[in-house]
Coordinates of all heavy atoms in Angstrom, one line a residue:
G1 N -30.6 26.1 0.1 CA -32.0 25.9 0.4 C -32.2 25.3 1.8 O -33.3 25.2 2.3
G2 N -31.1 25.0 2.5 CA -31.2 24.4 3.8 C -31.4 25.4 4.9 O -31.4 26.7 4.7
S3 N -31.5 25.0 6.2 CA -31.7 25.8 7.3 C -30.6 26.9 7.5 O -30.9 28.0 7.8 CB -31.9 25.0 8.6 OG -33.0 24.2 8.5
A4 N -29.4 26.4 7.3 CA -28.2 27.3 7.4 C -28.3 28.5 6.4 O -28.1 29.6 6.7 CB -26.9 26.6 7.3
E5 N -28.6 28.1 5.2 CA -28.7 29.1 4.1 C -29.9 30.1 4.4 O -29.8 31.3 4.3 CB -28.9 28.5 2.8 CG -29.0 29.5 1.6 CD -29.2 28.8 0.3 OE1 -28.8 27.6 0.1 OE2 -29.7 29.5 -0.6
R6 N -31.0 29.6 4.9 CA -32.2 30.4 5.2 C -31.9 31.3 6.4 O -32.5 32.4 6.5 CB -33.4 29.5 5.5 CG -34.1 29.0 4.3 CD -35.4 28.4 4.7 NE -35.3 27.2 5.6 CZ -34.9 26.0 5.2 NH1 -34.7 25.7 4.0 NH2 -34.8 25.1 6.1
S7 N -30.9 31.0 7.2 CA -30.6 31.9 8.4 C -30.1 33.2 7.9 O -30.4 34.2 8.6 CB -29.6 31.2 9.3 OG -28.3 31.4 8.8
G8 N -29.5 33.3 6.8 CA -29.0 34.6 6.3 C -27.7 35.1 7.0 O -27.3 36.2 6.8
V9 N -27.2 34.3 8.0 CA -26.1 34.7 8.8 C -24.8 34.1 8.4 O -23.8 34.7 8.4 CB -26.4 34.4 10.3 CG1 -25.2 34.8 11.2 CG2 -27.7 35.1 10.8
I10 N -24.9 32.8 8.0 CA -23.7 32.0 7.7 C -23.2 32.3 6.4 O -24.0 32.4 5.4 CB -24.1 30.5 7.9 CG1 -24.7 30.2 9.3 CG2 -22.9 29.6 7.6 CD1 -25.4 29.0 9.4
R11 N -21.9 32.5 6.3 CA -21.2 32.8 5.0 C -20.3 31.7 4.5 O -19.9 30.8 5.3 CB -20.4 34.1 5.2 CG -21.2 35.3 5.5 CD -20.2 36.5 5.6 NE -20.8 37.6 6.2 CZ -20.1 38.6 6.7 NH1 -18.8 38.7 6.6 NH2 -20.8 39.6 7.2
V12 N -20.0 31.7 3.2 CA -19.0 30.8 2.7 C -17.7 31.0 3.5 O -17.4 32.1 3.8 CB -18.8 31.1 1.2 CG1 -17.7 30.3 0.6 CG2 -20.1 30.8 0.4
N13 N -17.0 29.9 3.7 CA -15.8 29.8 4.5 C -15.9 29.9 6.0 O -14.9 29.9 6.7 CB -14.8 30.9 4.0 CG -14.4 30.6 2.5 OD1 -14.2 29.5 2.1 ND2 -14.2 31.7 1.8
D14 N -17.1 30.2 6.5 CA -17.3 30.0 8.0 C -17.1 28.6 8.3 O -17.5 27.7 7.6 CB -18.7 30.5 8.4 CG -18.9 32.0 8.3 OD1 -17.9 32.7 8.0 OD2 -20.0 32.5 8.6
V15 N -16.5 28.3 9.5 CA -16.2 26.9 9.9 C -17.0 26.6 11.1 O -17.1 27.3 12.1 CB -14.7 26.8 10.2 CG1 -14.3 25.4 10.7 CG2 -13.9 27.2 9.0
V16 N -17.7 25.4 11.1 CA -18.4 24.9 12.2 C -17.4 24.5 13.3 O -16.5 23.7 13.0 CB -19.3 23.6 11.8 CG1 -20.0 23.1 13.0 CG2 -20.3 24.0 10.8
V17 N -17.6 25.0 14.5 CA -16.7 24.7 15.6 C -17.5 24.1 16.8 O -16.8 23.6 17.7 CB -15.9 25.9 16.0 CG1 -14.9 26.3 14.9 CG2 -16.7 27.1 16.4
R18 N -18.8 24.3 16.8 CA -19.6 23.7 17.9 C -20.9 23.2 17.3 O -21.5 23.8 16.4 CB -19.9 24.8 19.0 CG -18.7 25.2 19.8 CD -19.1 26.2 20.9 NE -19.8 27.4 20.4 CZ -19.1 28.4 19.8 NH1 -17.8 28.4 19.7 NH2 -19.8 29.5 19.4
V19 N -21.4 22.1 17.9 CA -22.8 21.6 17.7 C -23.4 21.5 19.0 O -22.9 20.8 19.9 CB -22.7 20.3 16.9 CG1 -24.2 19.8 16.7 CG2 -22.0 20.4 15.6
D20 N -24.5 22.2 19.2 CA -25.3 22.2 20.5 C -24.3 22.5 21.6 O -24.3 21.8 22.6 CB -26.1 21.0 20.7 CG -27.3 21.0 19.8 OD1 -27.8 22.1 19.5 OD2 -27.8 19.9 19.5
H21 N -23.4 23.5 21.4 CA -22.5 24.0 22.4 C -21.4 23.1 22.8 O -20.7 23.3 23.8 CB -23.3 24.5 23.7 CG -24.4 25.4 23.3 ND1 -24.2 26.7 22.9 CD2 -25.8 25.2 23.3 CE1 -25.4 27.3 22.7 NE2 -26.3 26.4 22.9
E22 N -21.2 22.0 22.1 CA -20.0 21.1 22.3 C -19.0 21.4 21.1 O -19.4 21.4 20.0 CB -20.5 19.7 22.2 CG -21.3 19.2 23.4 CD -21.6 17.7 23.4 OE1 -20.8 17.0 22.9 OE2 -22.7 17.4 23.9
S23 N -17.8 21.5 21.5 CA -16.7 21.8 20.6 C -16.6 20.6 19.6 O -16.6 19.4 20.0 CB -15.4 22.0 21.3 OG -14.3 22.2 20.3
V24 N -16.5 20.9 18.3 CA -16.2 19.9 17.3 C -15.0 20.4 16.4 O -14.9 19.9 15.3 CB -17.5 19.6 16.4 CG1 -18.6 19.0 17.3 CG2 -18.0 20.9 15.7
E25 N -14.2 21.3 16.9 CA -13.1 21.8 16.1 C -12.2 20.7 15.7 O -11.9 19.8 16.5 CB -12.3 22.9 16.9 CG -13.0 24.2 16.9 CD -12.1 25.3 17.3 OE1 -11.3 25.8 16.4 OE2 -12.2 25.8 18.4
G26 N -11.8 20.7 14.5 CA -10.8 19.7 14.0 C -11.5 18.5 13.4 O -10.9 17.7 12.7
Q27 N -12.8 18.3 13.6 CA -13.5 17.1 13.1 C -14.0 17.5 11.7 O -14.3 18.6 11.4 CB -14.7 16.8 14.0 CG -14.3 16.4 15.4 CD -15.6 16.0 16.2 OE1 -16.5 15.4 15.7 NE2 -15.5 16.3 17.5
L28 N -14.0 16.4 10.8 CA -14.5 16.6 9.5 C -16.0 16.8 9.5 O -16.7 16.2 10.3 CB -14.2 15.4 8.6 CG -12.7 15.1 8.4 CD1 -12.5 13.8 7.7 CD2 -12.1 16.2 7.6
L29 N -16.5 17.7 8.6 CA -17.9 18.0 8.6 C -18.7 16.7 8.3 O -19.8 16.5 8.8 CB -18.2 19.1 7.5 CG -19.6 19.7 7.4 CD1 -19.9 20.3 8.8 CD2 -19.7 20.7 6.4
S30 N -18.1 15.8 7.5 CA -18.8 14.6 7.2 C -19.1 13.7 8.4 O -20.1 13.0 8.5 CB -18.0 13.8 6.1 OG -16.8 13.5 6.6
S31 N -18.2 13.8 9.4 CA -18.3 13.1 10.6 C -19.4 13.7 11.5 O -19.9 13.1 12.5 CB -17.0 12.9 11.4 OG -16.6 14.1 11.9
L32 N -19.7 14.9 11.3 CA -20.7 15.7 12.1 C -22.1 15.6 11.6 O -23.1 16.0 12.2 CB -20.3 17.1 12.2 CG -18.9 17.4 12.8 CD1 -18.7 18.9 12.7 CD2 -18.8 16.9 14.2
R33 N -22.3 15.0 10.4 CA -23.6 14.9 9.8 C -24.7 14.4 10.7 O -25.7 15.0 10.8 CB -23.4 14.0 8.5 CG -24.7 13.9 7.7 CD -24.4 13.0 6.5 NE -25.7 12.7 5.8 CZ -26.2 13.5 4.9 NH1 -25.6 14.6 4.6 NH2 -27.3 13.1 4.3
S34 N -24.4 13.3 11.4 CA -25.5 12.8 12.2 C -25.9 13.7 13.4 O -27.0 13.6 13.9 CB -25.1 11.4 12.8 OG -24.0 11.5 13.6
R35 N -24.9 14.5 13.8 CA -25.2 15.5 14.9 C -25.9 16.7 14.4 O -26.7 17.3 15.1 CB -23.9 15.9 15.6 CG -23.3 14.7 16.4 CD -22.1 15.0 17.1 NE -22.3 16.0 18.2 CZ -21.4 16.5 18.9 NH1 -20.1 16.3 18.6 NH2 -21.7 17.4 19.8
I36 N -25.6 17.1 13.2 CA -26.2 18.3 12.6 C -27.6 18.0 12.1 O -28.5 18.8 12.3 CB -25.3 18.9 11.5 CG1 -24.0 19.4 12.2 CG2 -26.0 20.0 10.8 CD1 -23.0 19.9 11.2
L37 N -27.8 16.9 11.4 CA -29.1 16.6 10.8 C -29.9 16.0 11.9 O -29.4 15.4 12.9 CB -28.9 15.6 9.7 CG -28.1 16.1 8.5 CD1 -28.0 15.0 7.4 CD2 -28.7 17.4 7.9
G38 N -31.2 16.0 11.7 CA -32.2 15.5 12.7 C -33.6 15.6 12.2 O -33.8 16.0 11.1
P39 N -34.5 15.2 13.0 CA -35.9 15.3 12.6 C -36.4 16.7 12.2 O -36.0 17.7 12.9 CB -36.7 14.8 13.9 CG -35.7 14.1 14.7 CD -34.4 14.8 14.4
Q40 N -37.2 16.8 11.2 CA -37.7 18.1 10.8 C -38.5 18.7 11.9 O -39.2 18.1 12.7 CB -38.6 17.9 9.6 CG -37.9 17.5 8.4 CD -38.7 17.6 7.1 OE1 -38.3 18.4 6.3 NE2 -39.8 16.9 6.9
G41 N -38.2 20.0 12.1 CA -38.9 20.7 13.2 C -38.1 20.8 14.5 O -38.4 21.5 15.4
S42 N -37.1 19.9 14.6 CA -36.2 19.9 15.8 C -35.2 21.0 15.7 O -35.0 21.6 14.6 CB -35.6 18.6 16.0 OG -34.7 18.3 15.0
S43 N -34.6 21.4 16.8 CA -33.6 22.5 16.8 C -32.2 22.0 17.0 O -31.9 20.9 17.6 CB -33.9 23.4 18.0 OG -35.2 24.0 17.8
V44 N -31.3 22.8 16.5 CA -29.8 22.5 16.7 C -29.2 23.9 16.7 O -29.6 24.8 16.0 CB -29.2 21.7 15.6 CG1 -29.3 22.3 14.2 CG2 -27.8 21.3 15.9
T45 N -28.2 24.1 17.5 CA -27.4 25.3 17.5 C -26.0 25.0 17.0 O -25.3 24.2 17.6 CB -27.3 25.9 18.9 OG1 -28.6 26.2 19.4 CG2 -26.5 27.2 19.0
L46 N -25.6 25.7 15.9 CA -24.3 25.6 15.4 C -23.5 26.8 15.7 O -23.9 27.9 15.7 CB -24.4 25.4 13.9 CG -25.2 24.3 13.3 CD1 -25.1 24.2 11.8 CD2 -24.7 22.9 13.9
G47 N -22.2 26.5 16.2 CA -21.3 27.6 16.4 C -20.3 27.7 15.3 O -19.8 26.6 14.8
F48 N -20.0 28.9 14.9 CA -19.1 29.1 13.8 C -17.9 30.0 14.1 O -18.0 30.8 15.0 CB -19.8 29.8 12.6 CG -20.9 28.9 12.0 CD1 -22.2 28.8 12.5 CD2 -20.5 28.1 10.9 CE1 -23.1 28.0 11.9 CE2 -21.5 27.3 10.3 CZ -22.8 27.2 10.8
R49 N -16.8 29.8 13.3 CA -15.7 30.7 13.4 C -15.6 31.3 12.0 O -15.7 30.7 11.0 CB -14.4 29.9 13.6 CG -13.1 30.8 13.7 CD -11.9 30.0 13.9 NE -11.6 29.1 12.8 CZ -11.4 27.8 12.8 NH1 -11.3 27.2 14.0 NH2 -11.2 27.1 11.7
R50 N -15.4 32.7 12.1 CA -15.3 33.4 10.8 C -14.0 34.2 10.9 O -13.8 35.0 11.8 CB -16.5 34.4 10.6 CG -16.4 35.3 9.4 CD -17.6 36.2 9.3 NE -18.8 35.4 9.0 CZ -20.0 35.8 9.2 NH1 -20.2 37.0 9.7 NH2 -21.0 35.0 9.0
K51 N -13.2 34.1 9.8 CA -11.9 34.9 9.8 C -12.1 35.9 8.7 O -12.5 35.6 7.5 CB -10.7 34.0 9.4 CG -10.3 33.1 10.6 CD -9.0 32.4 10.3 CE -8.6 31.6 11.5 NZ -7.3 31.0 11.3
E52 N -11.9 37.2 9.0 CA -11.9 38.3 8.1 C -10.6 39.0 8.3 O -10.5 39.8 9.3 CB -13.1 39.1 8.3 CG -14.5 38.4 8.0 CD -15.7 39.3 8.3 OE1 -15.9 39.6 9.4 OE2 -16.4 39.6 7.3
G53 N -9.7 38.9 7.3 CA -8.4 39.5 7.5 C -7.7 38.9 8.7 O -7.6 37.7 8.9
L54 N -7.3 39.8 9.6 CA -6.6 39.3 10.9 C -7.6 39.1 12.0 O -7.2 38.6 13.1 CB -5.6 40.4 11.3 CG -4.5 40.7 10.3 CD1 -3.6 41.8 10.8 CD2 -3.6 39.4 10.0
E55 N -8.9 39.4 11.8 CA -9.9 39.3 12.8 C -10.6 37.9 12.7 O -11.0 37.5 11.7 CB -10.9 40.4 12.7 CG -11.9 40.5 13.8 CD -12.8 41.7 13.8 OE1 -12.3 42.8 13.3 OE2 -13.9 41.6 14.1
T56 N -10.7 37.3 13.9 CA -11.5 36.0 14.0 C -12.6 36.3 14.9 O -12.5 36.8 16.1 CB -10.6 34.9 14.5 OG1 -9.5 34.7 13.7 CG2 -11.4 33.6 14.6
T57 N -13.8 35.9 14.5 CA -15.0 36.1 15.4 C -15.7 34.7 15.5 O -15.6 33.9 14.6 CB -16.0 37.1 14.8 OG1 -16.4 36.7 13.5 CG2 -15.5 38.5 14.8
Y58 N -16.4 34.5 16.6 CA -17.2 33.3 16.8 C -18.6 33.7 17.0 O -18.9 34.7 17.6 CB -16.7 32.6 18.1 CG -15.3 32.0 17.9 CD1 -14.1 32.8 18.1 CD2 -15.1 30.7 17.5 CE1 -12.9 32.3 17.9 CE2 -13.8 30.2 17.3 CZ -12.7 31.0 17.5 OH -11.4 30.5 17.3
Y59 N -19.5 32.9 16.5 CA -20.9 33.2 16.7 C -21.7 31.9 16.7 O -21.3 30.9 16.1 CB -21.4 34.2 15.7 CG -21.4 33.7 14.2 CD1 -22.6 33.1 13.7 CD2 -20.3 33.7 13.5 CE1 -22.6 32.7 12.4 CE2 -20.3 33.3 12.2 CZ -21.4 32.7 11.6 OH -21.4 32.3 10.3
D60 N -22.9 31.9 17.3 CA -23.8 30.8 17.4 C -25.1 31.1 16.5 O -25.5 32.3 16.5 CB -24.3 30.5 18.8 CG -23.1 29.9 19.6 OD1 -22.2 29.3 19.0 OD2 -23.2 30.0 20.9
V61 N -25.6 30.1 15.9 CA -26.8 30.3 15.1 C -27.8 29.1 15.5 O -27.5 28.0 15.2 CB -26.5 30.2 13.6 CG1 -27.8 30.4 12.8 CG2 -25.5 31.3 13.2
P62 N -28.9 29.5 16.2 CA -29.9 28.5 16.4 C -30.7 28.2 15.1 O -31.1 29.2 14.5 CB -30.8 29.1 17.5 CG -30.5 30.6 17.4 CD -29.2 30.8 16.8
L63 N -30.9 27.0 14.8 CA -31.6 26.6 13.6 C -32.7 25.6 13.9 O -32.6 24.8 14.8 CB -30.6 26.0 12.6 CG -29.4 26.8 12.1 CD1 -28.4 26.0 11.4 CD2 -29.9 28.0 11.3
V64 N -33.7 25.7 13.0 CA -34.7 24.6 13.0 C -34.5 23.8 11.8 O -34.3 24.3 10.7 CB -36.2 25.3 13.0 CG1 -37.2 24.2 12.8 CG2 -36.4 26.2 14.2
R65 N -34.4 22.5 12.0 CA -34.1 21.6 10.9 C -35.3 21.4 10.1 O -36.5 21.3 10.6 CB -33.7 20.2 11.5 CG -32.4 20.2 12.3 CD -32.2 18.9 13.0 NE -31.0 18.7 13.7 CZ -30.8 18.6 15.0 NH1 -31.9 18.5 15.8 NH2 -29.6 18.4 15.5
G66 N -35.1 21.2 8.8 CA -36.2 21.0 7.9 C -35.8 21.3 6.4 O -35.0 22.1 6.1
S67 N -36.5 20.5 5.5 CA -36.3 20.7 4.1 C -37.1 22.0 3.6 O -38.0 22.4 4.3 CB -36.8 19.5 3.3 OG -38.2 19.4 3.5
P68 N -36.8 22.5 2.5 CA -37.6 23.6 2.0 C -39.0 23.3 1.9 O -39.9 24.1 2.2 CB -37.0 23.9 0.6 CG -35.5 23.4 0.7 CD -35.6 22.2 1.6
E69 N -39.4 22.0 1.5 CA -40.8 21.6 1.4 C -41.4 21.6 2.8 O -42.6 22.0 2.9 CB -40.9 20.2 0.8 CG -40.4 20.1 -0.6 CD -38.9 20.0 -0.8 OE1 -38.2 19.8 0.2 OE2 -38.4 20.2 -1.9
Y70 N -40.7 21.3 3.8 CA -41.2 21.3 5.2 C -41.6 22.8 5.6 O -42.7 23.0 6.1 CB -40.2 20.8 6.2 CG -40.6 21.0 7.6 CD1 -41.5 20.2 8.2 CD2 -39.9 22.0 8.4 CE1 -41.9 20.4 9.6 CE2 -40.3 22.1 9.7 CZ -41.2 21.4 10.3 OH -41.6 21.5 11.6
F71 N -40.7 23.7 5.3 CA -41.0 25.1 5.6 C -42.1 25.7 4.8 O -42.9 26.5 5.2 CB -39.7 25.9 5.6 CG -38.8 25.6 6.7 CD1 -37.7 24.8 6.5 CD2 -39.1 26.0 8.0 CE1 -36.9 24.4 7.6 CE2 -38.3 25.7 9.1 CZ -37.1 24.9 8.9
D72 N -42.2 25.2 3.5 CA -43.3 25.7 2.6 C -44.6 25.2 3.2 O -45.6 26.0 3.1 CB -43.1 25.2 1.2 CG -42.0 25.9 0.4 OD1 -41.5 27.0 0.9 OD2 -41.5 25.4 -0.6
S73 N -44.6 24.0 3.7 CA -45.9 23.5 4.3 C -46.3 24.3 5.5 O -47.5 24.5 5.7 CB -45.8 22.0 4.6 OG -45.0 21.8 5.7
L74 N -45.3 24.7 6.3 CA -45.6 25.6 7.4 C -46.2 26.9 7.0 O -47.2 27.4 7.6 CB -44.4 25.8 8.3 CG -43.8 24.6 9.0 CD1 -42.6 25.0 9.8 CD2 -44.8 23.9 9.9
K75 N -45.6 27.5 6.0 CA -46.1 28.7 5.4 C -47.6 28.6 4.9 O -48.4 29.4 5.1 CB -45.2 29.3 4.3 CG -43.9 29.8 4.8 CD -43.1 30.2 3.6 CE -41.6 30.4 4.0 NZ -40.8 30.6 2.8
A76 N -47.8 27.4 4.2 CA -49.1 27.2 3.6 C -50.2 27.0 4.7 O -51.3 27.4 4.5 CB -49.1 26.0 2.8
S77 N -49.8 26.5 5.9 CA -50.7 26.3 7.0 C -50.9 27.5 7.8 O -51.8 27.6 8.7 CB -50.3 25.1 7.8 OG -49.2 25.4 8.6
Q78 N -50.1 28.6 7.6 CA -50.2 29.8 8.5 C -51.6 30.4 8.4 O -52.1 30.8 9.4 CB -49.1 30.7 8.2 CG -49.0 31.9 9.1 CD -48.7 31.4 10.6 OE1 -47.9 30.6 10.8 NE2 -49.5 31.9 11.5
P79 N -52.2 30.6 7.2 CA -53.5 31.3 7.2 C -54.5 30.5 8.0 O -55.3 31.1 8.7 CB -53.9 31.3 5.7 CG -52.6 31.3 5.0 CD -51.6 30.4 5.9
L80 N -54.4 29.2 8.0 CA -55.3 28.4 8.8 C -55.1 28.6 10.3 O -56.0 28.8 11.1 CB -55.2 26.9 8.5 CG -56.0 25.9 9.3 CD1 -57.5 26.2 9.1 CD2 -55.7 24.5 8.9
Q81 N -53.8 28.6 10.7 CA -53.4 28.9 12.1 C -53.9 30.3 12.5 O -54.4 30.4 13.6 CB -51.9 28.8 12.3 CG -51.4 27.4 12.0 CD -52.0 26.3 12.9 OE1 -52.2 26.6 14.1 NE2 -52.3 25.2 12.4
D82 N -53.8 31.3 11.6 CA -54.2 32.6 12.0 C -55.7 32.6 12.2 O -56.2 33.3 13.1 CB -53.9 33.6 10.8 CG -52.4 33.8 10.7 OD1 -51.6 33.5 11.7 OD2 -51.9 34.4 9.7
E83 N -56.5 31.9 11.3 CA -57.9 31.8 11.5 C -58.3 31.1 12.8 O -59.3 31.6 13.5 CB -58.6 31.1 10.3 CG -60.1 31.0 10.3 CD -60.8 32.4 10.2 OE1 -60.1 33.4 10.0 OE2 -62.0 32.4 10.4
I84 N -57.7 30.1 13.1 CA -57.9 29.4 14.4 C -57.7 30.3 15.6 O -58.6 30.4 16.5 CB -57.1 28.1 14.5 CG1 -57.5 27.1 13.5 CG2 -57.1 27.6 15.9 CD1 -56.6 25.9 13.4
E85 N -56.6 31.1 15.5 CA -56.3 32.0 16.6 C -57.4 33.1 16.7 O -57.9 33.5 17.7 CB -55.0 32.6 16.4 CG -54.5 33.6 17.6 CD -54.6 32.9 18.9 OE1 -54.3 31.7 19.1 OE2 -54.9 33.6 19.9
R86 N -57.8 33.6 15.5 CA -58.9 34.7 15.5 C -60.2 34.1 16.1 O -60.8 34.8 16.9 CB -59.1 35.1 14.0 CG -60.1 36.3 13.9 CD -60.5 36.5 12.4 NE -61.3 35.5 11.9 CZ -62.6 35.3 12.2 NH1 -63.2 36.1 13.1 NH2 -63.3 34.3 11.6
L87 N -60.5 32.9 15.7 CA -61.8 32.3 16.3 C -61.7 32.1 17.8 O -62.6 32.3 18.5 CB -62.1 31.0 15.6 CG -62.5 31.1 14.1 CD1 -62.6 29.8 13.4 CD2 -63.9 31.8 14.0
R88 N -60.5 31.7 18.3 CA -60.3 31.5 19.7 C -60.5 32.9 20.4 O -61.1 32.9 21.5 CB -58.9 31.0 20.0 CG -58.7 29.5 19.7 CD -57.4 29.0 20.1 NE -57.3 27.6 19.9 CZ -56.3 26.9 19.4 NH1 -55.1 27.6 19.2 NH2 -56.3 25.7 19.2
R89 N -59.9 33.9 19.9 CA -60.1 35.3 20.5 C -61.5 35.7 20.5 O -62.0 36.2 21.5 CB -59.2 36.3 19.8 CG -57.7 36.2 20.1 CD -57.0 37.4 19.6 NE -57.2 37.7 18.2 CZ -56.4 37.2 17.2 NH1 -55.4 36.4 17.5 NH2 -56.6 37.6 16.0
A90 N -62.2 35.5 19.4 CA -63.6 35.8 19.3 C -64.5 35.0 20.3 O -65.3 35.6 21.0 CB -64.2 35.6 17.9
N91 N -64.2 33.7 20.5 CA -64.9 32.9 21.4 C -64.6 33.4 22.9 O -65.5 33.5 23.7 CB -64.4 31.4 21.3 CG -65.3 30.5 22.1 OD1 -66.5 30.6 22.1 ND2 -64.6 29.6 22.9
S92 N -63.4 33.8 23.1 CA -63.0 34.3 24.5 C -63.8 35.6 24.8 O -64.3 35.8 25.9 CB -61.5 34.5 24.5 OG -61.2 35.0 25.8
Q93 N -63.9 36.4 23.8 CA -64.6 37.7 23.9 C -66.1 37.4 24.2 O -66.7 38.0 25.0 CB -64.5 38.6 22.7 CG -63.1 39.1 22.6 CD -62.8 39.9 21.3 OE1 -63.7 39.8 20.4 NE2 -61.7 40.6 21.2
L94 N -66.7 36.4 23.5 CA -68.1 36.1 23.7 C -68.3 35.5 25.1 O -69.3 35.9 25.7 CB -68.6 35.1 22.6 CG -68.8 35.6 21.2 CD1 -69.0 34.5 20.2 CD2 -69.9 36.6 21.2
E95 N -67.4 34.7 25.5 CA -67.5 34.1 26.9 C -67.5 35.2 27.9 O -68.2 35.2 28.9 CB -66.5 33.0 27.1 CG -66.8 31.7 26.3 CD -65.7 30.7 26.5 OE1 -64.7 31.0 27.1 OE2 -65.9 29.6 25.9
S96 N -66.5 36.2 27.7 CA -66.4 37.3 28.7 C -67.7 38.1 28.7 O -68.2 38.5 29.7 CB -65.2 38.1 28.3 OG -64.0 37.4 28.4
Q97 N -68.2 38.4 27.5 CA -69.5 39.1 27.4 C -70.6 38.4 28.1 O -71.4 39.0 28.8 CB -69.8 39.4 25.9 CG -71.0 40.3 25.8 CD -70.8 41.7 26.4 OE1 -69.8 42.3 26.2 NE2 -71.8 42.2 27.1
R98 N -70.7 37.1 27.9 CA -71.8 36.3 28.6 C -71.7 36.4 30.1 O -72.6 36.5 30.8 CB -71.7 34.9 28.1 CG -72.3 34.6 26.8 CD -72.4 33.1 26.5 NE -72.6 33.0 25.0 CZ -72.0 32.1 24.3 NH1 -71.1 31.3 24.8 NH2 -72.2 32.0 23.0
A99 N -70.4 36.3 30.6 CA -70.2 36.4 32.0 C -70.6 37.7 32.5 O -71.2 37.8 33.6 CB -68.7 36.1 32.3
R100 N -70.3 38.8 31.8 CA -70.7 40.1 32.2 C -72.2 40.3 32.2 O -72.8 40.9 33.1 CB -70.0 41.2 31.3 CG -68.6 41.4 31.7 CD -68.0 42.7 31.0 NE -68.1 42.6 29.5 CZ -67.2 42.1 28.7 NH1 -66.1 41.6 29.3 NH2 -67.3 42.0 27.4
D101 N -72.9 39.7 31.2 CA -74.3 39.8 31.0 C -75.0 39.1 32.1 O -76.1 39.5 32.6 CB -74.8 39.3 29.7 CG -74.4 40.2 28.5 OD1 -73.9 41.4 28.8 OD2 -74.5 39.8 27.4
A102 N -74.4 37.9 32.6 CA -75.0 37.1 33.6 C -74.9 37.7 35.0 O -75.6 37.4 35.9 CB -74.4 35.7 33.6
A103 N -73.9 38.6 35.1 CA -73.6 39.2 36.5 C -74.6 40.3 36.8 O -75.5 40.8 36.3 CB -72.2 39.8 36.5

């Protein structure tokens, strides 16, 4: 349910090797907790190592920190944000029309 799971990119057995582009290889995940966790809505980039057979790949995943409830609240507020944006566009169109009418 966390940000990493929601990314859809990170797989079981992938290993964290960077936090915000700084190497953390060899460090216990428990010691990285304070660097990975942070205020809801803030960002962190985690770098991972993935081994598949003989192939090793590295990749970065930018994440937004937050609980499932935090992201649910953002989704719930989206219709309101959409309506605010619609009203701003309508207001801008009215102002443009008034300016044209006044000219």
Side-chain angles (χ1 to χ4, degrees):
S3 297
E5 183 179 335
R6 279 190 301 278
S7 78
V9 176
I10 303 162
R11 296 184 194 161
V12 172
N13 296 323
D14 288 356
V15 177
V16 175
V17 294
R18 288 183 304 281
V19 176
D20 285 332
H21 309 288
E22 289 185 33
S23 176
V24 295
E25 281 197 79
Q27 296 182 34
L28 295 175
L29 191 56
S30 60
S31 70
L32 302 176
R33 182 178 172 86
S34 65
R35 293 181 65 188
I36 293 172
L37 300 179
Q40 294 195 115
S42 64
S43 298
V44 64
T45 298
L46 300 181
F48 291 89
R49 179 181 66 229
R50 176 180 294 159
K51 288 188 178 185
E52 295 178 295
L54 298 175
E55 188 174 324
T56 300
T57 55
Y58 292 85
Y59 65 96
D60 290 336
V61 180
L63 300 170
V64 175
R65 296 171 173 118
S67 67
E69 294 79 15
Y70 170 76
F71 289 102
D72 286 346
S73 73
L74 292 179
K75 288 178 197 170
S77 69
Q78 190 59 48
L80 178 58
Q81 296 301 319
D82 292 345
E83 180 65 9
I84 290 169
E85 184 58 33
R86 186 189 69 73
L87 291 170
R88 283 184 179 142
R89 283 193 307 269
N91 188 49
S92 179
Q93 289 173 347
L94 286 171
E95 289 176 355
S96 295
Q97 185 61 46
R98 281 189 197 134
R100 284 191 298 272
D101 291 347

